[in-house]
Amino acid sequence: MKRFFLFLLFLSAASSLRAEDGHQLWLRPQRAAPVKVVATGKNSLLLATARQELQQGWQGKPGASVALTLTKDKTIKYDGFRLGPTSVQAATEAGLLYGVYELLRRQQTGQPVQNDLLNPSYEHRLLNHWDNPDGSVERGYAGQSIFWRKDSALVTTSQDKTRWQEYARANASVGINGAVINNVNAAPQILSAEYLTRVKAIADVLRPYGVKTYLAVKFSSPVLLGGLKTADPLDPAVVKWWQGKTKEIYRLVPDFGGFLVKASSEGQPGPQDYGRTHADGANMLADAVRPHGGLVMWRAFVYSPNDKDRAKQAYNEFVPLDGKFRDNVIVQVKNGPIDFQPREPFSPLFGALKKTSVMPEFQITQEYLGHSIDLAFLAPMWEECLGSDTHQAGPGSTVARCTDGSVYPQKHTAMAGVANVGLDTNWTGHDFAQANWYAFGRLAWNNQLKSAQIADEWLKLTFGGPTAAADWNTQFLTPVKQLMLDSREAIVNYSMPLGLHHIMSATREHYGPGPWWAPPKMRADWTPRYYHQADSAGVGFNRTKTGSDAVSQYHEPLATQFNDPTTCPDEYLLWFHHLPWDFKMKSGNTLWNELCAHYDKGVQQVRQFQKVWDKAQPYVDAERFAVVQHKLRSQSGNAVQWKDACLLYFQQFSRMPIPADVEPPMNNLDAIIANDMRPRR
Ligand code: BDP
């Protein structure tokens, strides 16, 4: 009997770490205490969701009564709320729902609740899904699309609906209130009557969680879908076509959010095809959605093959248009001036447009940061961008404040993240990539949050819980949190340190090194050599006043600081300067030795991550432990590839020895290049 009891005890201890496949994200079910919910107002969809969440997840005093109250309190902004231990007050029902999620999060992570006022930094907090109607996901590393499927677009199954509901819930739990459900490289058929039926089905499932549906549209849709001769935004027939199409959408989805547009960019059609400006194009669409309360998010991601410096173009095209956009247009700007690289300085468009609403776009999917193989916690990268001081209106004009309405009045404020979600059981391919979805939502809600707090919350919710071991905090939380916080810098170190950028492999879909890549007829600005400019004289892109003069797009004192290699921060050195290999760094090292040290450090950091994770084994369920361990092993190999490839490649120009304290290359450059050039499946 005693033995049997011990056996039961053993079983229950083991089950506290039962295998988890990651599908529950940070919303793992908790045993809830009974709770009474008293809500004002009618029992709307959102309130029903809020009530259900409380009843499923209440960790407070058993039998407590929680009051959800709508109020006209003027200190509450957008969907913000005031939180007490057993009360949520908000101006909107969505605000009540967000308050409920915050209350439950505080309970689970052991954070106190006083009388807190929590207002979102941005009115619109959106995911952009680069999902195609055939079910593929551009730059997706977590399986096929959750929204679209080859051949059966029009059949919505109960399985689809369950997925969408889980997805909407995850979004709402971190404050995300909008989703653009198709690729910015938009297929015109998304606006066909058949596809709009599916859009309506999706919107109906997202609505009870306060998530609005948006569509990315192709600018030439009036021609490709409507059979018109032109898509000229000033042509009356085109204007009429978009108005009709917009009405059709709103009939199906009355709370439709609006359009996202990638135009006159990377081969996509746009107003410039007709001699019109971005403002002409955006305004025509803005007028179409305005009567219905819709928005247009117009992307500033533009560059042409003829420009001498791609980094300058978005600024050059958009600054002259400042003040020319309708007030329901938001210009969507990628965090850096090039393209979601592991590290870029902030885009100079932040702080340059003063009479136009501007929103930051981040990439949650890890296109340039190791796909869903390498572990990269991206909150530090976004925090770095949001905290960058543009100096537009004096010190303290951070990117965060230049986009949330604090520096310039903006009619609308928003933040977008390119989603990393797919049909994989754990949603994001890598268990730790879930943290980036989570972090994006949290930062869009509060652009002052610190990465450490976000990592802390996420780890507690995703791996902790009431059954966690007594020493879980010291043995798991502390070291794994540090691993997360160091992970992005490790990737910068082993791939593109000191301001290097865009030197990844093109044949392997931007995974791994490729500084040599330059096929004969390829446009120069799509090849790494354009960016690193390595030659016997040195390395780096001269963007100083004697070069492309991109530095002058920044306000003082930044322009002067970036222009001088002795004052330019090391992180951006080769972004702004072409410097000799023996250039003396602030550390006293030569540039070459410093470069070697960074690549080596990145490799060592990943090895350290492996050790941290191995030690975490007793504190993680076996399934997630093994998957992450396996991925770290692959990442370790990738880091060595990056280091070996870049050092051996650049050494051809520097002709300097790899310092003795740097791990010598184990790969051969010719072999790496031959392997990289081999066409992939
Ligand atoms: C680039 C991606 C490409 C996207 C583009 C964009 O490689 O797939 O279409 O960004 O943002 O980084 O439009």
Side-chain angles (χ1 to χ4, degrees):
M1 185 67 192
K2 195 169 165 207
R3 237 194 256 158
F4 180 66
F5 182 70
L6 280 176
F7 175 66
L8 276 187
L9 207 67
F10 166 77
L11 268 190
S12 72
S15 73
S16 70
L17 288 180
R18 73 185 184 283
E20 292 194 42
D21 58 17
H23 190 68
Q24 311 282 354
L25 297 162
W26 49 87
L27 293 162
R28 292 146 75 227
Q30 302 293 328
R31 187 173 303 167
V35 64
K36 229 171 76 203
V37 183
V38 187
T40 58
K42 52 187 187 328
N43 200 9
S44 67
L45 287 174
L46 284 166
L47 272 180
T49 310
R51 186 185 294 271
Q52 191 187 353
E53 291 291 357
L54 275 173
Q55 280 159 352
Q56 280 176 5
W58 183 250
Q59 308 290 301
K61 210 162 124 231
S65 168
V66 178
L68 306 180
T69 319
L70 285 173
T71 143
K72 296 211 163 77
D73 180 346
K74 291 270 185 287
T75 58
I76 297 177
K77 208 174 88 182
Y78 308 135
D79 293 328
F81 52 87
R82 199 176 277 287
L83 197 65
T86 53
S87 68
V88 184
Q89 293 173 16
T92 65
E93 288 176 347
L96 293 177
L97 179 61
Y98 298 133
V100 164
Y101 283 119
E102 180 68 24
L103 189 53
L104 295 175
R105 173 163 47 237
R106 299 268 181 111
Q107 291 180 344
Q108 279 191 54
T109 56
Q111 299 176 68
V113 180
Q114 276 108 25
N115 191 23
D116 304 293
L117 174 65
L118 286 107
N119 282 324
S121 302
Y122 300 97
E123 179 188 7
H124 304 285
R125 306 168 297 274
L126 297 120
L127 289 186
N128 289 183
H129 291 265
W130 288 357
D131 294 17
N132 299 312
D134 68 358
S136 61
V137 180
E138 182 156 340
R139 313 306 178 189
Y141 314 106
Q144 296 286 102
S145 168
I146 63 168
F147 298 119
W148 313 103
R149 190 171 47 231
K150 209 180 232 161
D151 304 331
S152 50
L154 312 174
V155 189
T156 295
T157 65
S158 64
Q159 238 182 345
D160 288 338
K161 288 192 183 171
T162 304
R163 265 271 166 171
W164 299 338
Q165 189 195 5
E166 291 167 339
Y167 160 82
R169 178 173 179 240
N171 278 340
S173 75
V174 290
I176 293 169
N177 65 357
V180 182
I181 57 175
N182 66 309
N183 193 354
V184 285
N185 295 319
Q189 77 254 38
I190 204 78
L191 292 176
S192 66
E194 299 139 290
Y195 275 83
L196 289 179
T197 309
R198 175 102 167 163
V199 173
K200 175 187 163 36
I202 296 169
D204 287 344
V205 179
L206 305 194
R207 189 170 296 114
Y209 289 88
V211 180
K212 271 193 186 180
T213 301
Y214 296 71
L215 289 175
V217 293
K218 197 175 192 79
F219 200 76
S220 53
S221 298
V223 177
L224 298 173
L225 195 67
L228 301 191
K229 289 214 170 55
T230 175
D232 180 348
L234 302 191
D235 185 297
V238 172
V239 172
K240 201 161 151 233
W241 188 87
W242 280 110
Q243 284 172 349
K245 191 44 85 180
T246 305
K247 260 196 208 138
E248 185 186 342
I249 299 172
Y250 276 95
R251 259 200 308 274
L252 295 165
V253 185
D255 56 351
F256 179 68
F259 297 134
L260 169 64
V261 193
K262 172 176 179 179
S264 298
S265 158
E266 293 191 329
Q268 290 296 329
Q272 293 178 344
D273 301 347
Y274 308 96
R276 314 294 183 194
T277 68
H278 285 290
D280 295 329
N283 292 345
M284 180 271 295
L285 290 174
D287 290 342
V289 294
R290 175 186 300 281
H292 313 277
L295 290 176
V296 170
M297 289 158 295
W298 191 271
R299 295 176 93 224
F301 178 62
V302 296
Y303 60 99
S304 86
N306 313 320
D307 211 69
K308 286 222 178 61
D309 182 1
R310 172 174 167 187
K312 289 177 68 179
Q313 193 161 339
Y315 180 102
N316 287 344
E317 277 199 36
F318 279 82
V319 169
L321 298 175
D322 193 16
K324 301 216 164 88
F325 292 96
R326 300 278 192 270
D327 66 5
N328 59 333
V329 174
I330 316 184
V331 174
Q332 182 166 318
V333 180
K334 288 189 181 183
N335 55 291
I338 301 263
D339 195 359
F340 295 141
Q341 296 302 291
R343 171 165 279 126
E344 299 192 27
F346 69 88
S347 164
L349 269 175
F350 298 118
L353 299 178
K354 298 162 201 161
K355 290 174 268 171
T356 305
S357 296
V358 176
M359 61 189 281
E361 175 180 332
F362 294 115
Q363 195 179 40
I364 307 171
T365 190
Q366 292 166 234
E367 176 178 358
Y368 303 98
L369 285 110
H371 294 188
S372 283
I373 302 169
D374 296 2
L375 193 162
F377 179 50
L378 301 179
M381 177 159 95
W382 304 332
E383 190 189 333
E384 183 176 298
C385 174
L386 291 167
S388 295
D389 197 344
T390 70
H391 288 273
Q392 153 53 31
S397 315
T398 58
V399 171
R401 299 187 65 245
C402 286
T403 52
D404 68 8
S406 317
V407 175
Y408 311 111
Q410 296 199 19
K411 172 87 179 188
H412 295 287
T413 61
M415 180 158 137
V418 181
N420 61 350
V421 164
L423 276 179
D424 276 6
T425 306
N426 73 359
W427 298 91
T428 57
H430 197 307
D431 284 293
F432 276 78
Q434 297 177 356
N436 295 328
W437 181 4
Y438 183 89
F440 170 78
R442 298 291 286 130
L443 277 169
W445 181 275
N446 179 357
N447 62 14
Q448 306 297 318
L449 267 190
K450 297 285 164 248
S451 304
Q453 183 187 331
I454 299 171
D456 193 89
E457 284 175 9
W458 180 79
L459 281 168
K460 284 177 178 161
L461 297 168
T462 307
F463 291 102
T467 54
D471 56 357
W472 187 86
N473 272 12
T474 54
Q475 300 304 305
F476 181 87
L477 180 64
T478 305
V480 177
K481 195 191 330 178
Q482 195 57 50
L483 183 167
M484 288 175 75
L485 293 174
D486 293 341
S487 59
R488 179 270 188 145
E489 200 63 38
I491 293 185
V492 171
N493 281 328
Y494 67 67
S495 65
M496 308 190 207
L498 296 177
L500 286 173
H501 51 286
H502 218 288
I503 60 170
M504 63 286 163
S505 163
T507 38
R508 286 191 289 160
E509 302 290 341
H510 301 170
Y511 186 82
W516 47 79
W517 195 76
K521 289 199 189 104
M522 181 57 61
R523 50 187 271 197
D525 60 348
W526 282 353
T527 68
R529 288 177 182 183
Y530 172 95
Y531 300 94
H532 65 64
Q533 311 244 335
D535 55 23
S536 57
V539 62
F541 198 121
N542 183 358
R543 296 194 167 104
T544 67
K545 291 183 197 300
T546 63
S548 78
D549 198 24
V551 288
S552 295
Q553 292 185 339
Y554 291 90
H555 296 288
E556 290 296 359
L558 295 178
T560 302
Q561 190 195 349
F562 291 159
N563 193 56
D564 178 347
T566 64
T567 54
C568 181
D570 279 2
E571 302 91 79
Y572 305 135
L573 196 62
L574 303 178
W575 182 281
F576 288 114
H577 297 271
H578 185 81
L579 295 171
W581 297 103
D582 61 357
F583 173 80
K584 190 94 172 273
M585 301 288 295
K586 295 185 191 81
S587 64
N589 279 339
T590 61
L591 169 59
W592 168 251
N593 280 6
E594 188 91 354
L595 203 61
C596 293
H598 274 278
Y599 277 106
D600 195 51
K601 181 167 183 194
V603 169
Q604 302 310 328
Q605 282 175 298
V606 182
R607 302 242 171 88
Q608 179 59 22
F609 299 162
Q610 289 183 282
K611 287 183 192 155
V612 168
W613 190 251
D614 284 350
K615 280 200 205 141
Q617 181 164 19
Y619 304 91
V620 193
D621 61 282
E623 188 169 346
R624 287 185 299 174
F625 174 79
V627 176
V628 173
Q629 186 188 45
H630 181 78
K631 295 211 178 221
L632 280 168
R633 215 172 277 157
S634 306
Q635 180 176 2
S636 199
N638 183 41
V640 174
Q641 282 263 334
W642 266 105
K643 171 181 87 61
D644 290 1
C646 291
L647 291 187
L648 292 171
Y649 174 79
F650 289 132
Q651 194 179 31
Q652 302 175 110
F653 305 101
S654 81
R655 300 183 176 279
M656 291 164 88
I658 294 172
D661 57 354
V662 166
E663 189 175 288
M666 57 184 255
N667 296 292
N668 172 313
L669 183 62
D670 293 338
I672 300 178
I673 296 180
N675 185 38
D676 179 51
M677 297 303 220
R678 199 171 321 131
R680 310 280 139 175
R681 277 185 296 128

